[in-house]
């Protein structure tokens, strides 16, 4: 049974399967008789990215509850419902089909759910246990789950397993009914359910019909319709502990989870606001817990707000030890953290230590802690000298006496200043917030202030000795310690950045830089490291608010505040606090705890966007994107240089390189990926050496910043790249196998028993550092693919071992044991590295695709070396639809389309048009490639967020009809226009769409401010424009019929703008005219062979193959009909 369970799990990698909520090619229909397997539909949303071996795992037996993708995630007021039983079952649709489909089924106390695989985050269907009327056996290991009007048939592997499932279901039903008798849930219409906070119909992108959505507690439930909601039979539910909600436009909003983006649309703007409020409440509910609140409410005085007396207050001031309601918490927060540190009883779970809970409860019931509070409120200093050298402070005295509650209270009031009554102001504003004061004094050496970054070394003679005093938030510097009037001063409130250069950067051993809002830089120096560190610490405390005090716990190279945009709030910039330490960038945002540090050497993207006046630093790490704006040029340029330096390789060892998600150095990944794409069939790959000068230049650029190096065919030869990789591995100071373990690896190769030797290799592999271990696996996996082409490249396992043995073990080639280790690792690749079937299947598919293309190319006499291999999808981006295609330089978009359709045996019929599209997921736009357009240049320009997909061009027929009927070759009219002068709306003070008049002719596109204007404001050559269908939602386009236009200048600078039309037909007319003038009137190929490759109707897996449209004769008939009655053919367009 375990073997059978591996099959469905091994078909699809986890990184892809979690993106699929429901089956591919399945649609929701209004037919109540259709089974859920027929009325499901694939969601649209953000793709899950590429396939990673680390996300794969072997299947689990059906008797074991496999961990769910959403289990174990942080947050959630409701604990994860324990799984009663989980495993693989065959499911039969109710129409009586004999074709069973394997489903991963999970039963908990509330729901019976089934999924495509045990890696899916969201179910295909769920059935409320309270709605199940009975469970019955029907023979042949089958059983039925019967509800009021639906019957679900399942088949187990054996009678024993069926019995286990039936018993588990019956027990869950009995327990559910016992609970229901004690509640009033049956009064709600849905047995066993809670009263929803909001319920109703919403449009969900990817579904034809509206879904019925219910927000219940901390979950959002999706149903096909209202009837199924009352029956308790739904599609899936979304745990809001991992969800976030954001507004998209006037009627739309997105619910974002780590696995999927759900795009909803309401009927009105008011209804959308109500849904947003309900879902945001569900997020708060999911992230809250009542455990702390209930313990604190156990003390009767704590059941009411200390300020206004409201019942059940769920907030507290942890330094004042009072419980307050939500409204009063807002007032306390306005006083600042120096007066009242406000925390939630339900959401800030990490704050509530056992001692703090006891202190808050004891504050209203005991005398000793209340006396301590009273003394502090009367003005007692929290850090005053106690008179006892052994316990100099009140906190030390409390610790000496074992007073844990007083210790907790004093610890939370370290940075608290006593509120003062100001008689000159109204009573409602009697608090005067005083930030903690820091005092320090001593001699510092200072240079003259500068208005630009210090690029050169400042000599010792350029420093002047000054007496400096830091007091009351002002750093003053005097001629000497006796001077009364300062030479100058720097207010702490004006400091925006504090930087600590490396020792011996300037004339003094230790220096630090202070940047101010006035775009001035002050350089100070000292010989003593301790004194310099103390000054840096005191200045940092003086200008960093309590909000960001966590950043001071560690040493830093740079600390300060910067405007930023992050997460789902990109509408306006906020000010955050940042510290740079090594290759970690830590951030504290105004509303939230300290963020997880960004690992700069693991960034997926580090780029600078915008012009010189409005620069934006973009940092992308996995699922996080951070935009740092250059509001002040001086300190921003300092941050930019420091971050770029920290993100680069720090040294020569593997762990100091720029790393990818799987801890593989980017330099290794770049070289291996390029050779896999362009050099697997190159004779003597890795044995032949590249040109020394080119190899050295390439290696230097890779070592400096491998992330920014993009290897392209024609610019780098495969032998140069392979030589660079070998040189990099040979030059590693500690070697790939490390000096400490190198001898053990060589000795293991002499073990005669193969099983014992492989076992020893596995032991040694575990001992390697994580980066080394990941690199060894990636490299051996690559060499395993290379030797599969040994009949062409002449590099079998033995030859590869001869080359890489001395390279990896850094020997002179005389020791045969080094080569034997490499040879053993390649031969036993699957066992040594625990490669599962799914990972191996992926590699074999890629190899098979390359072999087929090589054979096909040999028959046609084409050149193979250097051809580009890419992934192209059929109809949509899914693992099931991907095809590995070798792209020669001469291949056109039409040839690529036919190649994909031939591989999948898709027949081309009349009345439809298959086209290859370039899809840009980041811009939310797509461009149908012209049939004669060369594919290879497009692939070289594709970013990581773009891909190619072959699908039907739904608007082509309407565009051809329009082109056939129009009189003139030009097009003119009004459109909404917006120019993209920055990234994602950053730094655009007056962004928005404006009405402009456009004229498009055979040579150029002209923009006029209005119809009556005689001189165009802008003019672009039409041949240099790329037109994409769609406008990204973040720009809030006024209509849904828009396109994105990209213009590349002669200097290869790209300009981008957006156009919106009032109707769909108007959009098609403009787009058709663009195609017509750019390609000299040839929009679609006229050869009959393009549309006459008809085959009998088939069905490929679950992808429907629909008849296609468009023969030449049919087009002529359509044009004739259009001339007679133009509206007759456009009514259904």
């Amino acid at each position: 049974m375990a073997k059978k369970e591996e099959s469905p799990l091994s078909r699809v990698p986890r990184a892809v399967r979690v993106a699929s909520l429901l089956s591919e090619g399945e649609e929701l229909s209004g037919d109540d008789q259709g089974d859920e397997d027929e009325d499901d539909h694939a969601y649209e949303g953000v793709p899950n990215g590429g396939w990673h071996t680390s996300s794969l795992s072997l299947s689990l037996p059906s008797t074991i509850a496999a961990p769910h993708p959403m289990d174990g995630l942080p947050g959630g007021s409701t604990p994860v419902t324990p799984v009663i039983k989980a495993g693989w079952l065959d499911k039969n649709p109710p129409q009586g089909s004999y074709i069973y489909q394997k489903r991963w089924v999970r039963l908990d106390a509330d729901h019976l759910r089934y999924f495509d695989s045990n890696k899916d985050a969201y179910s295909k269907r769920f059935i409320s246990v309270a709605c199940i009327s009975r469970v019955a056996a029907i023979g042949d290991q089958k059983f039925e789950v019967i509800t009021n009007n639906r019957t679900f048939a399942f088949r187990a592997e054996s009678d024993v397993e069926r019995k286990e499932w039936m018993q588990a279901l019956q027990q869950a039903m009995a327990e559910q009914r016992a609970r229901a008798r004690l509640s009033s849930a049956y009064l709600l219409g849905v047995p066993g359910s809670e009263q929803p906070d909001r319920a109703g119909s919403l449009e969900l992108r990817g579904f034809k019909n509206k879904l019925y959505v219910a927000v219940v507690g901390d979950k959002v439930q999706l149903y096909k319709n209202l009837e199924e909601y009352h029956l308790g039979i739904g599609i899936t539910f979304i745990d809001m502990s991992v969800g976030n909600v954001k507004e998209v436009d006037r009627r739309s909003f997105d619910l974002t989870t780590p696995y999927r983006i759900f795009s909803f649309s309401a009927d009105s703007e008011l209804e959308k606001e109500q849904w947003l409020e309900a879902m945001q409440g569900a997020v708060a509910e999911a992230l809250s817990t009542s455990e702390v609140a209930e313990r604190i409410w156990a003390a009767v005085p704590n059941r009411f707000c200390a300020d206004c007396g409201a019942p059940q207050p769920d907030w507290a001031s942890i330094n004042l030890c009072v419980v307050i309601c939500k409204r009063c918490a807002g007032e306390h927060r306005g006083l600042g953290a120096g007066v009242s540190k406000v925390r939630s009883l339900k959401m800030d779970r990490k704050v509530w230590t056992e001692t703090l809970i006891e202190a808050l409860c004891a504050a209203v019931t005991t005398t000793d802690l209340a006396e301590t509070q009273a003394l502090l409120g009367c003005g007692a200093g929290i850090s005053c000298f106690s008179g006892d050298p052994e316990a100099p402070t009140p906190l030390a005295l409390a610790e000496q006496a074992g007073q844990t509650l007083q210790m907790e209270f004093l610890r939370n009031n370290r940075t608290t200043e006593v509120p003062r009554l100001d008689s000159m102001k109204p009573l409602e504003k009697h608090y005067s917030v005083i930030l903690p004061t820091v005092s320090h004094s001593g001699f510092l050496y200072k240079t003259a202030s500068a208005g630009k970054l210090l690029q050169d070394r400042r000599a010792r003679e350029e420093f002047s000795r000054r007496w400096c005093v830091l007091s009351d938030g002002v750093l003053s510097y005097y001629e000497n310690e006796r001077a009364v009037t300062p030479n100058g001063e720097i207010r702490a409130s004006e400091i925006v950045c504090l930087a600590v250069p490396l020792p011996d950067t300037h004339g003094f051993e230790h220096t630090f830089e202070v940047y101010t809002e006035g775009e001035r830089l002050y350089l100070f120096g000292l010989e003593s490291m301790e004194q310099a560190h103390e000054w840096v610490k005191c200045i940092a405390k003086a200008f960093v608010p309590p909000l960001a005090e966590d950043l001071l716990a560690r040493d830093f190279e740079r600390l300060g505040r910067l405007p930023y945009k992050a997460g789902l709030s990109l509408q306006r910039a906020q000010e955050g606090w940042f510290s740079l330490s090594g290759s970690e960038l830590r951030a504290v945002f105004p509303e939230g705890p300290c963020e997880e540090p960004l690992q700069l050497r693991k960034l997926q993207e580090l780029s600078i966007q915008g012009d010189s006046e409005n620069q934006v630093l973009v940092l992308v790490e996995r699922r996080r994107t951070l935009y740092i704006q250059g509001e002040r040029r001086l300190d921003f340029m300092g941050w930019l240089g420091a971050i770029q330096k920290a993100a680069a390789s720090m040294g020569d060892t593997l762990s100091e390189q720029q790393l990818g998600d799987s801890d593989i150095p980017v330099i290794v990944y770049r070289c291996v990926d390029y050779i896999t794409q362009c050099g697997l069939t190159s004779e003597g790959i890795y044995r032949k050496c590249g040109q020394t000068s080119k190899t050295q230049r390439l290696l230097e650029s890779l070592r400096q910043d491998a992330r920014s190096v993009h290897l392209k065919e024609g610019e780098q030869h495969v032998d140069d790249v392979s030589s660079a990789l070998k040189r990099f591995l040979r030059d590693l100071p500690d070697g790939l196998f490390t000096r400490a373990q190198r001898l053990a690896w060589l000795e293991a190769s002499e073990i005669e028993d193969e099983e014992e030797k492989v076992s020893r290799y596995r032991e040694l592999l575990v001992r390697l550092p994580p980066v080394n271990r990941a690199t060894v696996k990636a490299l051996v996996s690559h060499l395993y693919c290379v030797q599969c082409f040994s009949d062409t490249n002449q590099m079998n396992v033995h030859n590869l071992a001869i080359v890489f043995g001395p390279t990896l073990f850094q020997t002179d080639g005389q020791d045969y044991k080094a080569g034997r280790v490499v040879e053993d690792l390649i031969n036993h690749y699957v066992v040594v590295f625990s490669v599962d079937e799914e990972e191996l299947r992926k590699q074999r598919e890629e190899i098979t695709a390359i072999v087929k293309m090589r054979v096909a190319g040999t028959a046609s006499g084409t050149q193979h070396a250097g051809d580009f291999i890419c992934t192209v999808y059929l109809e949509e981006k899914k693992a099931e639809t991907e095809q590995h295609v070798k792209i020669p330089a001469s291949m056109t978009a039409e040839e690529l389309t036919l190649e994909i359709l031939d591989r999948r045996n898709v027949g081309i019929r009349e009345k439809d048009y298959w086209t290859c599209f370039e899809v840009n997921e980041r811009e939310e736009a797509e461009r149908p490639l012209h049939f004669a357009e060369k594919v290879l240049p497009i692939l070289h320009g594709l970013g990581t967020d773009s891909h190619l997909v072959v699908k039907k061009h739904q608007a082509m027929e309407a565009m051809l009809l329009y082109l056939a009927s129009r009189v003139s070759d030009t097009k003119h009219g009004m459109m909404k226009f917006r120019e993209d002068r920055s990234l994602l709306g950053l730094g655009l003070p007056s962004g928005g769409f404006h009405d402009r008049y456009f004229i498009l002719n055979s040579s150029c596109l002209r923009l006029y401010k209005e119809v009556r204007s005689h001189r165009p404001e802008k003019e672009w050559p039409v041949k240099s424009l790329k037109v994409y269908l769609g406008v990204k939602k973040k720009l809030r386009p006024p209509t849904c019929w828009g396109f994105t236009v990209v213009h590349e200048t002669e200097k290869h600078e790209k300009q981008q703008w957006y156009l919106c039309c009032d109707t769909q037909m108007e959009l098609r007319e403009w787009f058709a005219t663009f195609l017509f003038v750019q390609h000299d009137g040839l929009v679609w190929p006229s050869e009959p062979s393009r549309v006459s490759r008809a085959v009998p109707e088939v069905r490929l897996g679950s992808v429907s193959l629909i008849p296609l449209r468009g023969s030449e004769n049919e087009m002529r008939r359509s044009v004739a009909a259009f001339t007679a009655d133009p509206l007759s053919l456009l009514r259904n367009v």
Side-chain angles (χ1 to χ4, degrees):
M1 184 174 70
K3 291 183 179 179
K4 292 184 179 180
E5 291 163 5
E6 292 176 7
S7 177
L9 185 59
S10 64
R11 291 192 193 110
V12 186
R14 176 180 181 180
V16 178
R17 292 306 310 166
V18 295
S20 176
L21 179 60
L22 304 174
S23 294
E24 66 279 4
E26 298 172 347
E27 300 176 351
L28 269 176
S29 65
D31 186 2
D32 292 334
Q33 301 168 359
D35 181 48
E36 54 278 2
D37 286 337
E38 294 185 16
D39 58 16
D40 296 338
H41 188 278
Y43 276 92
E44 297 177 12
V46 177
N48 286 270
W51 164 75
H52 299 288
T53 61
S54 60
S55 64
L56 301 174
S57 65
L58 293 174
S59 357
L60 300 173
S62 62
T63 56
I64 300 175
H68 194 263
M70 297 179 70
D71 291 347
L73 288 171
S77 61
T78 305
V80 177
T81 306
V83 177
I84 298 173
K85 187 168 177 60
W88 293 102
L89 288 175
D90 295 330
K91 186 187 174 298
N92 190 24
Q95 290 87 348
S97 171
Y98 289 101
I99 301 176
Y100 278 81
Q101 296 172 316
K102 267 198 177 296
R103 296 288 181 253
W104 179 257
V105 185
R106 290 164 56 96
L107 172 66
D108 56 43
D110 299 318
H111 299 97
L112 176 67
R113 293 180 287 166
Y114 59 87
F115 307 76
D116 272 337
S117 82
N118 61 347
K119 298 301 180 68
D120 284 0
Y122 300 110
S123 60
K124 292 176 64 62
R125 274 305 215 194
F126 72 84
I127 309 160
S128 174
V129 172
C131 298
I132 300 175
S133 58
R134 65 190 179 92
V135 181
I138 56 176
D140 295 333
Q141 295 90 42
K142 300 176 188 176
F143 64 97
E144 291 181 337
V145 177
I146 303 169
T147 66
N148 290 336
N149 74 333
R150 295 288 293 274
T151 299
F152 298 84
F154 296 95
R155 183 176 65 188
E157 290 286 346
S158 65
D159 289 333
V160 174
E161 187 180 1
R162 177 182 65 176
K163 183 178 179 181
E164 292 175 356
W165 272 104
M166 293 180 64
Q167 289 177 345
L169 282 164
Q170 289 164 353
Q171 180 183 352
M173 291 163 56
E175 293 175 354
Q176 179 66 245
R177 286 165 184 167
R179 291 196 302 268
R181 293 190 196 100
L182 303 177
S183 68
S184 57
Y186 278 103
L187 301 175
L188 305 179
V190 183
S193 70
E194 302 176 29
Q195 176 69 42
D197 299 315
R198 181 168 182 81
S201 297
L202 285 174
E203 294 179 8
L204 178 60
R205 183 191 296 175
F207 284 86
K208 293 181 179 179
N209 303 320
K210 286 186 177 181
L211 299 185
Y212 194 84
V213 183
V215 181
V216 182
D218 59 351
K219 290 180 174 58
V220 175
Q221 301 173 347
L222 305 183
Y223 298 86
K224 180 181 173 184
N225 49 45
L226 178 59
E227 179 185 0
E228 291 200 349
Y229 167 72
H230 287 299
L231 294 173
I233 301 173
I235 299 172
T236 192
F237 53 78
I238 305 158
D239 187 354
M240 297 301 282
S241 63
V242 295
N244 203 345
V245 189
K246 73 165 185 175
E247 181 181 2
V248 176
D249 55 33
R250 285 170 293 184
R251 295 193 305 110
S252 302
F253 60 96
D254 284 350
L255 170 54
T256 306
T257 73
Y259 313 97
R260 175 60 51 193
I261 294 181
F262 300 86
S263 298
F264 293 101
S265 294
D267 290 334
S268 66
E269 188 171 357
L270 175 61
E271 188 177 346
K272 179 204 69 177
E273 296 295 336
Q274 294 171 345
W275 277 106
L276 281 174
E277 182 179 356
M279 291 193 181
Q280 286 165 353
V283 173
E285 178 72 18
L287 298 178
S288 67
T289 177
S290 300
E291 180 184 354
V292 173
E294 289 171 358
R295 291 186 58 187
I296 292 175
W297 291 341
V300 176
N302 284 337
R303 297 175 187 174
F304 302 92
C305 175
D307 287 357
C308 68
Q312 290 188 322
D314 53 2
W315 291 80
S317 172
I318 62 173
N319 62 315
L320 301 181
C321 283
V322 293
V323 183
I324 52 180
C325 65
K326 184 177 181 180
R327 184 177 64 84
C328 295
E331 299 293 331
H332 277 248
R333 191 179 287 109
L335 301 175
V339 172
S340 182
K341 297 180 180 178
V342 180
R343 298 292 187 270
S344 170
L345 299 183
K346 293 184 176 181
M347 288 184 284
D348 297 320
R349 286 171 289 179
K350 293 182 180 180
V351 174
W352 295 104
T353 61
E354 192 68 27
T355 309
L356 181 57
I357 296 173
E358 293 177 10
L360 194 58
C361 295
V364 294
T365 57
T366 62
T367 307
D368 53 351
L369 185 57
E371 289 178 357
T372 306
Q373 290 179 288
L375 289 171
L376 182 64
C378 291
I382 199 73
S383 301
C384 63
F385 182 65
S386 66
D388 184 357
E390 295 182 3
T393 64
L395 180 60
L397 280 174
E399 183 176 4
Q400 189 180 64
Q403 296 287 341
T404 57
L405 301 185
Q406 274 80 356
M407 287 172 58
E408 185 69 18
F409 176 73
L410 294 172
R411 193 177 292 113
N412 282 308
N413 280 278
R414 281 178 179 173
T415 58
T416 302
E417 289 295 323
V418 182
R420 299 178 181 176
L421 184 64
D422 190 347
S423 59
M424 301 302 293
K425 296 183 180 180
L427 287 179
E428 61 269 19
K429 298 183 179 179
H430 63 271
Y431 286 118
S432 175
V433 180
I434 300 177
L435 294 176
T437 58
V438 181
S439 299
H440 195 64
S441 60
F443 280 106
L444 285 173
Y445 293 86
K446 174 186 174 297
T447 64
S449 64
K452 60 181 180 179
L453 294 178
L454 303 178
Q455 304 290 349
D456 302 325
R457 177 185 174 89
R458 290 291 187 268
R460 194 181 183 92
E461 293 76 19
E462 298 182 62
F463 288 80
S464 302
R465 189 170 183 256
R466 294 288 182 264
W467 176 258
C468 298
V469 177
L470 175 62
S471 179
D472 296 327
V474 179
L475 174 62
S476 305
Y477 45 94
Y478 300 80
E479 190 70 28
N480 52 58
E481 68 271 29
R482 297 182 299 275
V484 178
T485 305
N487 289 4
E489 61 182 26
I490 305 171
R491 295 191 174 274
S493 59
E494 296 178 354
I495 298 176
V496 296
C497 181
L498 178 62
V500 184
L502 293 173
D504 202 31
T505 300
H506 298 288
F508 281 86
E509 181 73 14
H510 303 283
T511 56
F512 60 89
E513 301 170 347
V514 177
Y515 296 76
T516 65
E517 288 182 342
E519 299 276 359
R520 305 301 297 175
L521 187 158
Y522 298 83
L523 177 64
F524 297 90
L526 276 171
E527 287 292 353
S528 170
M529 181 180 68
E530 291 77 13
Q531 291 181 14
H533 184 270
E534 187 65 24
W535 270 105
V536 169
K537 181 179 178 182
C538 291
I539 294 174
K541 286 184 177 180
F543 84 98
V544 173
L547 167 73
E549 61 187 5
D550 290 343
L551 298 179
L552 305 181
R554 300 180 53 174
D555 292 338
F556 54 84
E557 285 90 50
R558 189 169 289 265
L559 172 73
R561 51 188 167 98
L562 288 166
Y564 76 95
K565 293 184 180 182
L568 301 175
S569 302
L570 298 176
Q571 304 306 318
R572 62 184 181 86
Q574 303 182 71
E575 193 167 66
W577 289 86
F578 299 84
S579 74
L580 179 63
S581 178
S583 62
E584 289 186 350
L585 180 65
R586 296 179 177 271
V588 174
F589 299 148
E591 300 175 358
C594 183
E595 293 284 317
E596 284 293 320
L598 270 77
Q599 303 296 333
L600 296 179
R601 286 192 289 112
K602 287 190 176 183
L603 290 178
Q604 295 177 351
E605 177 186 343
L606 190 158
S607 60
I608 305 169
Q609 306 291 343
D611 53 30
S612 58
E613 298 298 325
N614 297 297
Q615 287 189 322
V616 178
L617 176 61
V618 183
L619 307 176
V620 181
E621 183 200 32
R622 294 183 182 177
R623 295 190 180 102
R624 288 190 295 173
T625 302
L626 182 66
Y627 306 93
I628 299 178
Q629 292 186 249
E631 185 178 58
R632 297 173 300 270
R633 181 170 179 80
L634 181 60
D635 67 300
F636 176 76
M637 296 306 295
W639 276 104
L640 177 60
I643 290 175
Q644 288 177 329
K645 182 178 179 181
S649 298
M650 305 292 289
D652 294 329
T653 63
L654 274 179
S655 60
E656 293 175 322
Q657 305 301 311
Q658 294 175 343
L659 302 176
D661 287 342
S662 303
D663 280 343
I664 301 171
V666 177
I667 184 171
V668 175
Y669 171 78
R670 286 276 191 267
C671 295
V672 165
D673 183 62
Y674 180 78
I675 294 172
T676 301
Q677 296 286 349
C678 304
L680 285 182
T681 58
S682 177
E683 183 177 347
I685 185 67
Y686 288 117
R687 179 176 54 80
K688 293 182 178 179
C689 296
Q691 295 185 21
T692 305
S693 58
K694 291 183 178 180
T695 299
Q696 189 63 31
R697 284 197 300 269
L698 176 60
L699 186 56
E700 288 177 359
S701 61
L702 287 169
R703 280 175 170 163
Q704 184 175 1
D705 187 7
R707 190 185 298 107
S708 63
V709 176
H710 298 285
L711 304 175
K712 294 184 178 180
E713 181 189 7
E715 296 182 7
Q716 289 90 16
H717 194 274
V718 289
D719 291 334
D720 297 332
V721 178
S722 65
S723 296
L725 176 61
K726 290 187 295 182
R727 175 55 59 184
F728 169 76
L729 295 172
R730 175 177 278 277
D731 291 346
L732 290 173
D734 196 35
L736 184 60
F737 292 94
T738 72
R739 292 177 182 174
Q741 300 185 41
R742 187 180 305 164
L743 184 60
W745 282 91
L746 296 176
E747 291 175 349
S749 67
E750 295 183 306
I751 300 175
E752 294 183 0
D753 185 76
E754 287 296 314
E755 291 187 5
E756 183 182 352
K757 180 163 59 174
V758 170
S759 177
R760 179 59 176 162
Y761 283 147
R762 290 168 61 91
E763 292 176 7
L764 294 173
L765 188 66
V766 174
R767 296 180 188 176
L768 289 176
V771 177
N772 295 58
R773 185 165 60 249
T775 306
V776 169
K777 180 178 180 180
L779 183 61
V780 175
S781 173
H782 170 63
L783 297 180
Y784 177 82
C785 293
V786 172
Q787 59 89 26
C788 291
F789 291 84
S790 58
D791 57 338
T792 302
N793 57 35
Q794 305 302 316
M795 295 301 291
N796 54 27
V797 176
H798 181 70
N799 292 340
L800 289 172
I802 292 175
V803 173
F804 276 93
T807 298
L808 301 184
F809 286 91
Q810 300 174 334
T811 64
D812 56 4
Q814 300 299 319
D815 191 349
Y816 68 93
K817 290 180 288 187
R820 180 179 292 179
V821 172
V822 176
E823 190 169 350
D824 289 340
L825 291 178
I826 298 175
N827 285 328
H828 302 288
Y829 161 66
V830 174
V831 180
V832 173
F833 297 97
S834 302
V835 180
D836 58 31
E837 291 186 6
E838 176 60 31
E839 187 175 350
L840 198 59
R841 181 193 65 82
K842 184 77 174 179
Q843 288 182 330
R844 285 172 177 169
E845 281 187 358
E846 184 174 343
I847 293 172
T848 302
I850 295 173
V851 170
K852 285 183 178 179
M853 288 179 289
R854 179 173 59 82
V855 172
T858 303
S860 61
T862 57
Q863 179 69 26
H864 298 286
D867 287 353
F868 197 85
I869 301 169
C870 75
T871 301
V872 183
Y873 299 89
L874 179 62
E875 294 195 312
E876 57 184 333
K877 186 178 180 181
K878 284 186 176 182
E880 299 89 342
T881 64
E882 68 180 19
Q883 292 289 313
H884 303 289
V885 185
K886 195 169 189 177
I887 310 294
S890 60
M891 177 175 277
T892 64
E894 180 186 20
E895 293 170 347
L896 175 60
T897 302
L898 295 176
E899 170 75 11
I900 296 297
L901 296 180
D902 283 339
R903 287 189 180 195
R904 300 303 293 264
N905 196 28
V906 178
I908 301 181
R909 302 177 184 278
E910 295 184 350
K911 289 293 183 179
D912 237 328
Y913 301 84
W914 286 95
T915 308
C916 184
F917 284 74
E918 174 192 350
V919 180
N920 189 321
E921 296 165 343
R922 182 179 180 182
E923 293 293 329
E924 302 176 66
E926 59 183 15
R927 181 175 73 93
L929 305 184
H930 187 259
F931 68 90
E933 198 169 353
K934 294 291 191 293
V935 179
L936 193 60
I938 297 170
L939 289 174
H940 284 162
L942 286 183
T944 56
D945 48 8
S946 299
H947 62 273
L948 297 181
V949 58
V950 172
K951 59 181 180 179
K952 291 168 285 189
H953 197 320
Q954 304 292 352
M956 180 57 71
E957 183 180 22
M959 293 193 301
L960 292 175
L961 290 173
Y962 164 73
L963 293 173
S965 63
R966 69 194 188 119
V967 178
S968 172
D969 290 344
T970 63
K971 173 75 177 170
H972 57 86
M974 299 293 294
M975 283 190 287
K976 303 285 193 301
F977 170 81
R978 172 171 177 164
E979 187 173 6
D980 187 11
R981 287 177 286 170
S982 60
L983 178 69
L984 295 176
L986 300 175
L988 190 60
S990 59
F993 287 81
H994 305 282
D995 287 325
R996 290 293 184 267
Y997 185 73
F998 288 87
I999 296 180
L1000 174 63
N1001 58 34
S1002 59
S1003 60
C1004 62
L1005 174 67
R1006 295 191 178 99
L1007 177 148
Y1008 298 82
K1009 189 172 184 180
E1010 54 187 7
V1011 179
R1012 295 170 294 180
S1013 301
H1014 298 287
R1015 181 173 298 176
E1017 288 186 338
K1018 296 180 181 293
E1019 182 173 337
W1020 303 278
V1022 71
K1023 298 284 187 181
S1024 64
L1025 301 180
K1026 283 188 177 181
V1027 186
Y1028 294 78
L1029 293 168
V1031 176
K1032 54 188 173 185
K1033 291 181 180 179
K1034 288 191 179 86
L1035 300 179
R1036 298 179 179 272
T1039 71
C1040 59
W1041 302 294
F1043 46 88
T1044 302
V1045 183
V1046 178
H1047 172 232
E1048 186 170 352
T1049 64
E1050 295 179 355
K1051 298 180 180 179
H1052 301 289
E1053 297 175 350
K1054 288 188 177 181
Q1055 301 172 355
Q1056 188 166 303
W1057 64 93
Y1058 309 92
L1059 302 173
C1060 283
C1061 304
D1062 292 330
T1063 65
Q1064 185 184 50
M1065 193 61 204
E1066 186 179 353
L1067 170 68
R1068 291 176 174 178
E1069 290 174 1
W1070 276 104
F1071 196 81
T1073 308
F1074 269 112
L1075 290 177
F1076 185 89
V1077 299
Q1078 285 182 326
H1079 302 285
D1080 302 322
L1082 192 57
V1083 175
W1084 193 256
S1086 57
E1087 293 83 5
S1089 60
R1090 181 64 180 83
V1091 292
S1092 62
R1093 299 165 61 253
V1095 297
E1097 184 173 359
V1098 295
R1099 183 176 180 88
L1100 180 62
S1102 59
V1103 180
S1104 273
L1105 305 180
I1106 303 171
L1108 307 178
R1109 316 181 254 191
S1111 69
E1112 189 174 6
N1113 293 333
E1114 183 63 27
M1115 184 60 63
R1116 290 195 183 98
R1117 289 195 295 271
S1118 299
V1119 172
F1122 179 86
T1123 307
D1125 183 7
L1127 295 179
S1128 64
L1129 292 177
L1130 298 178
R1131 289 189 184 105
N1132 297 323
V1133 174

